[in-house]
Amino acid sequence: MTEEQLSSYDLVILGALLHDIGKFSQRAGIRCTAYEHFGEDDYGKHGAHSKWSAHFIEEYLPNDYHKTASLVLYHHSPTPKKDELTKIIETADRLSASERIQIEIGDPQKTRLLPILARIFRADWKEKGFQLNPLNINDNIMPQKPAIGDDLTNEYRELWNLFTNEVNELKNKKLTFNAYFTTLYYLLQKYTWCIPSAVYSSEPDISLFDHLKTTAAIAAVIFKSKSNEKFRLI
C-alpha cells in the first residue's frame, strides 16, 4: 500500500461499506477471537455481528485502515457517547435498512436470498433462492435453490474463503485509497450479491451488497451535508 493519510471522509465511507461484513463471516462459522469479552452492553442488542466486522478489518485490511474497526464495532452500541463518524454510520445504516419488510423470525443459516421481483410478478418465486456463488456472467444466476432448507454454513465458508483470499491479495499492491476502496467495492459485489442482508426478522430479498453500498453512499452524503442539512434518497 502507498502511505497515505486517510481523511475522516475516507474512514467513514470505508467503515460504512464494511459495517455489516461480519454477518458474512458469522454465517460461515468463523470464530471471532478479537472481541470475545464484548457483550450486549458494548455492541447493542442486535449488534453481535459488529465484532466480526471489526475483526475482519483488523485481519484482512492494511494497517493504515484499522482505524475503521472501532467505527463499525460500536455502530449498534446503546451508549450515547459515540464519536461523530460512528454516529454517521449508525444513521446511514438505519436509513438504508428502513425499507426492509418485517416478518416472523427466520434462520440466517438456512435462508437464501429471495428474488425481489417475487413481490411484483410471481409469488411462487418466494419458494426459490439464490445459490451462494461468486457473481459470474457465465453462470446461471437465476434463483434455483429451495428458499429455506439445509444448513448453509459450508456454502458460506467456501464463499468466504474465496472472498478473503482476494482481499488478502490487495495488501501487497501499491494502491491509493480510492483505488483500494473501488477494488474492495467490486469484490463485495462479486461475493455478497447472493447473501441476504437480514433474515432474522426481515424479508430476505435485499442483498448484503446492496445494503453495504447504500449505507456507504448515505454516509457520504451525511458527512458532506454536515449532518444538519436535508437530502433526498432517489
Side-chain angles (χ1 to χ4, degrees):
M1 300 291 299
T2 57
E3 291 187 8
E4 185 178 6
Q5 186 67 34
L6 297 190
S7 67
S8 294
Y9 177 73
D10 296 335
L11 291 172
V12 80
I13 61 172
L14 182 61
L17 187 70
L18 295 174
H19 76 285
D20 274 358
I21 194 63
K23 292 182 178 181
F24 190 175
S25 51
Q26 257 189 319
R27 296 174 195 172
I30 304 301
R31 185 182 175 191
C32 179
T33 56
Y35 299 99
E36 291 183 330
H37 60 291
F38 273 53
E40 280 192 12
D41 291 341
D42 301 298
Y43 54 68
K45 185 177 180 181
H46 303 293
H49 61 274
S50 303
K51 298 193 300 181
W52 275 261
S53 296
H55 181 68
F56 169 82
I57 290 170
E58 294 177 344
E59 182 77 14
Y60 295 105
L61 268 62
N63 291 338
D64 291 345
Y65 298 167
H66 287 186
K67 292 180 181 179
T68 56
S70 62
L71 304 184
V72 304
L73 184 61
Y74 294 106
H75 78 276
H76 279 296
S77 174
T79 177
K81 297 179 181 180
K82 299 178 185 176
D83 63 71
E84 289 305 312
L85 300 186
T86 301
K87 289 179 181 178
I88 289 174
I89 294 175
E90 177 187 29
T91 301
D93 177 31
R94 185 173 66 250
L95 289 171
S96 174
S98 62
E99 284 197 276
R100 292 175 184 162
I101 293 179
Q102 299 301 302
I103 60 169
E104 295 180 2
I105 293 175
D107 187 345
Q109 295 303 128
K110 295 185 177 182
T111 306
R112 296 182 184 275
L113 178 69
L114 299 179
I116 193 159
L117 293 180
R119 288 195 205 171
I120 303 171
F121 297 114
R122 291 176 50 183
D124 62 307
W125 278 10
K126 286 192 175 184
E127 299 173 3
K128 298 292 183 181
F130 293 97
Q131 187 166 349
L132 294 170
N133 278 331
L135 186 61
N136 187 326
I137 195 170
N138 296 317
D139 291 339
N140 187 336
I141 59 171
M142 296 297 290
Q144 296 180 328
K145 296 289 185 177
I148 301 175
D150 298 331
D151 189 283
L152 300 173
T153 302
N154 288 337
E155 276 190 49
Y156 270 113
R157 187 175 295 119
E158 290 178 12
L159 194 66
W160 175 258
N161 289 337
L162 293 172
F163 170 62
T164 52
N165 285 341
E166 290 210 51
V167 173
N168 254 336
E169 291 177 5
L170 298 181
K171 281 186 176 181
N172 300 321
K173 296 183 178 181
K174 294 183 178 181
L175 300 174
T176 64
F177 173 78
N178 286 339
Y180 184 90
F181 183 90
T182 301
T183 305
L184 184 62
Y185 174 91
Y186 284 108
L187 286 178
L188 287 167
Q189 182 182 38
K190 180 178 179 180
Y191 289 104
T192 67
W193 74 275
C194 54
I195 297 175
S197 172
V199 175
Y200 184 70
S201 61
S202 302
E203 185 83 358
D205 60 358
I206 297 175
S207 73
L208 181 59
F209 173 68
D210 283 320
H211 176 60
L212 295 177
K213 74 172 183 178
T214 51
T215 301
I218 295 169
V221 172
I222 295 174
F223 183 92
K224 293 198 170 186
S225 70
K226 307 304 180 185
S227 302
N228 295 319
E229 297 179 17
K230 294 181 179 180
F231 58 90
R232 292 178 178 174
L233 300 179
I234 301 176

